[in-house]
Amino acid sequence: MTVILFAIPLFFLLIGLELYVDSKRKTGHYRTNDAITSLSAGVLSRMMAIGHQLIPFTIYVLVFDAVAMFELPQAWWVWLVAFVAYDFFYYWNHRMGHEISILWAAHVVHHSSEDYNLTTALRQTSGAIFSWVFYLPLAFVGFTPEMIITVGALNLVYQFWVHTQHINTLGWMERIFVTPSNHRVHHAQNPVYIDKNYGGVFILWDRLFGTYIPELKEEPVVFGIRGALNSFNPIMANLQVYSQLAKDSYYTRRWSDKFRVWFGRTGWRPADVSKRFPKEKLPLQQFKKYHPHIHKSVMRYSLLQHVIMLVISLYFLLNLSALSGIQQVTIVTTVVIMSIQNGFILSQSTLALAIEGPRLLMLPLLWIAAGVGIAALWFALSCVVSLIALLYAVRHSNYRRPLDDVTLSAETAD
Ligand SMILES: [Zn+2]
Ligand SMILES: [Zn+2]
């Protein structure tokens, strides 16, 4: 966690740099709506991890204390072996995350972006609650919990920089390491690229286990997933596949199929439900990014809310130990509500925009009631500024028409 917290300024610095390069080259690899969704998913993932990572960590410690075979020294070579060994198990964790339905339901979040830029790296799941199982062999061997947490965080930080389209192939590095080029392939929805290049730091595992494919000039990558999310709501991104699996499992008749829906190969569906609820997949050539147009002023309002949400999240992560339980719940609830609202606003929901007024009035009161202190006043101030921005956005978009027939405006968005 500490390593990742320290890396946050670096992440934003590099995102700023990539944005600059993107605008200079006019490559259009960034869309505000998609980037906001990625960052919101990343923030929620970090917040949820605080809650659910404690259990796997405790289990790792218990296994380590009970059955560690060797007492490994804190030597540099042990750290190096730990780093490489962790990536080996990451490969299998990641591969299973694609090949088994219930694990894919969690991992899909990372693939739901239809753009590919540094913010995509931060679009992480809030529900990877089983992944710790893959690293338990390291406890048996004797790698300390601190070592695994550190190399795990370094592994995650490494993966950040490969999420860019501004770096081409990198010669000899393509043979050993995960690079922007071979990881772009991993984010593709082109049939030829599906279920390939699972490595975290080393691409060697893919070469060894037959899942490697280079980026092909004749096959430009189309980013995203075949069953498109069509939403900017990060909660929806987390629940999309779970809800599909739950539905299939509920409607299928055979009991064995109810189980297989969850634990079978990703994409498999019982014959009776796929006949009753067929899923049509358009040819790749007809794929269009989900991109509802909203008025510039609404987009700016959405961006403002996103920045406020990021500041609140940072405040939360930096002051976690000083916050009471009720204060933590209040802040997490605020971040969740703001993320959902923003997702709906970016999807042209006029209802969400209508709810914004009451939301801006209610949440600061909640903070004051929870005794969050001086931060509550800053938050209240940001809500006053937001209210002005909201009124401006409503005035300058077509919002004043009746709710039902309004699409915010077809004027240019971002
Ligand atoms: Zn993946
Ligand atoms: Zn990725």
Side-chain angles (χ1 to χ4, degrees):
M1 185 68 193
T2 322
V3 174
I4 293 171
L5 259 183
F6 277 117
I8 288 174
L10 179 71
F11 289 165
F12 279 93
L13 204 71
L14 290 174
I15 287 171
L17 182 67
E18 192 188 35
L19 266 169
Y20 174 75
V21 173
D22 200 54
S23 68
K24 277 276 164 208
R25 292 182 176 174
K26 295 188 171 37
T27 35
H29 295 160
Y30 271 86
R31 287 178 302 145
T32 313
N33 44 19
D34 190 273
I36 284 179
T37 314
S38 292
L39 294 176
S40 300
V43 163
L44 291 173
S45 164
R46 279 296 99 203
M47 284 185 159
M48 298 306 156
I50 291 165
H52 68 62
Q53 271 183 354
L54 202 64
I55 300 164
F57 180 69
T58 311
I59 292 171
Y60 190 96
V61 172
L62 289 174
V63 171
F64 173 78
D65 287 343
V67 293
M69 288 194 297
F70 305 103
E71 212 170 294
L72 296 171
Q74 292 281 327
W76 67 267
W77 62 268
V78 178
W79 279 92
L80 191 65
V81 173
F83 186 75
V84 176
Y86 182 94
D87 198 58
F88 170 79
F89 290 108
Y90 174 87
Y91 169 87
W92 286 105
N93 174 17
H94 191 188
R95 184 165 171 177
M96 293 303 112
H98 278 258
E99 294 184 357
I100 298 176
S101 292
I102 192 171
L103 302 181
W104 170 243
H107 182 59
V108 68
V109 182
H110 183 57
H111 289 269
S112 59
S113 170
E114 291 169 352
D115 292 334
Y116 189 79
N117 53 54
L118 290 174
T119 66
T120 312
L122 303 178
R123 186 185 283 232
Q124 295 288 339
T125 178
S126 296
I129 42 180
F130 298 117
S131 57
W132 57 275
V133 174
F134 288 89
Y135 303 101
L136 281 184
L138 296 166
F140 283 104
V141 176
F143 292 104
T144 63
E146 294 75 22
M147 234 176 215
I148 294 313
I149 282 191
T150 308
V151 295
L154 290 173
N155 191 292
L156 202 66
V157 170
Y158 174 88
Q159 291 181 42
F160 178 75
W161 78 281
V162 301
H163 292 84
T164 182
Q165 296 182 65
H166 287 288
I167 298 175
N168 220 321
T169 48
L170 292 171
W172 64 270
M173 279 185 76
E174 299 292 334
R175 288 200 289 277
I176 301 167
F177 293 103
V178 172
T179 63
S181 173
N182 61 43
H183 196 65
R184 281 195 286 271
V185 164
H186 180 67
H187 279 259
Q189 51 171 308
N190 315 49
V192 67
Y193 293 141
I194 298 277
D195 289 348
K196 295 287 190 291
N197 298 4
Y198 294 116
V201 172
F202 301 104
I203 201 72
L204 292 169
W205 316 121
D206 289 283
R207 290 176 172 276
L208 200 62
F209 299 114
T211 50
Y212 173 74
I213 188 170
E215 194 175 20
L216 306 167
K217 276 201 173 67
E218 64 276 19
E219 184 77 28
V221 171
V222 179
F223 297 103
I225 46 176
R226 293 310 306 278
L229 177 62
N230 289 337
S231 166
F232 297 121
N233 180 342
I235 307 291
M236 285 287 286
N238 273 282
L239 297 180
Q240 182 197 15
V241 173
Y242 285 113
S243 69
Q244 289 165 2
L245 295 179
K247 189 180 163 194
D248 282 1
S249 182
Y250 177 77
Y251 283 108
T252 190
R253 292 221 174 88
R254 284 173 57 179
W255 281 96
S256 59
D257 284 349
K258 286 183 189 295
F259 179 82
R260 196 174 159 195
V261 161
W262 295 96
F263 298 97
R265 175 86 194 195
T266 302
W268 179 85
R269 298 182 77 205
D272 55 349
V273 286
S274 54
K275 195 174 167 196
R276 192 169 163 196
F277 308 106
K279 276 188 197 164
E280 275 192 51
K281 283 185 180 167
L282 290 172
L284 197 60
Q285 296 78 3
Q286 290 179 30
F287 170 76
K288 274 201 180 105
K289 290 181 182 182
Y290 178 64
H291 191 71
H293 284 277
I294 61 174
H295 192 271
K296 272 181 195 166
S297 59
V298 178
M299 183 61 86
R300 285 190 198 119
Y301 174 78
S302 177
L303 198 56
L304 173 67
Q305 294 318 300
H306 184 64
V307 171
I308 294 170
M309 189 276 280
L310 288 180
V311 173
I312 292 173
S313 307
L314 204 59
Y315 169 78
F316 174 83
L317 293 173
L318 293 174
N319 296 283
L320 191 61
S321 52
L323 295 166
S324 69
I326 191 77
Q327 289 168 347
Q328 290 180 12
V329 171
T330 303
I331 296 176
V332 171
T333 307
T334 302
V335 169
V336 170
I337 291 174
M338 289 179 80
S339 302
I340 294 175
Q341 274 287 90
N342 230 359
F344 281 122
I345 291 171
L346 290 168
S347 294
Q348 288 186 326
S349 166
T350 49
L351 180 64
L353 210 55
I355 296 171
E356 274 300 90
R359 198 273 293 170
L360 290 169
L361 297 172
M362 295 294 292
L363 284 182
L365 294 177
L366 201 66
W367 279 47
I368 292 164
V372 183
I374 192 80
L377 295 177
W378 282 109
F379 180 48
L381 190 66
S382 79
C383 287
V384 172
V385 175
S386 299
L387 205 56
I388 297 165
L390 178 67
L391 291 172
Y392 181 87
V394 168
R395 197 177 158 79
H396 287 81
S397 63
N398 293 340
Y399 175 67
R400 281 168 295 168
R401 280 190 277 150
L403 284 180
D404 299 14
D405 59 316
V406 170
T407 53
L408 288 174
S409 169
E411 289 173 48
T412 51
D414 44 338

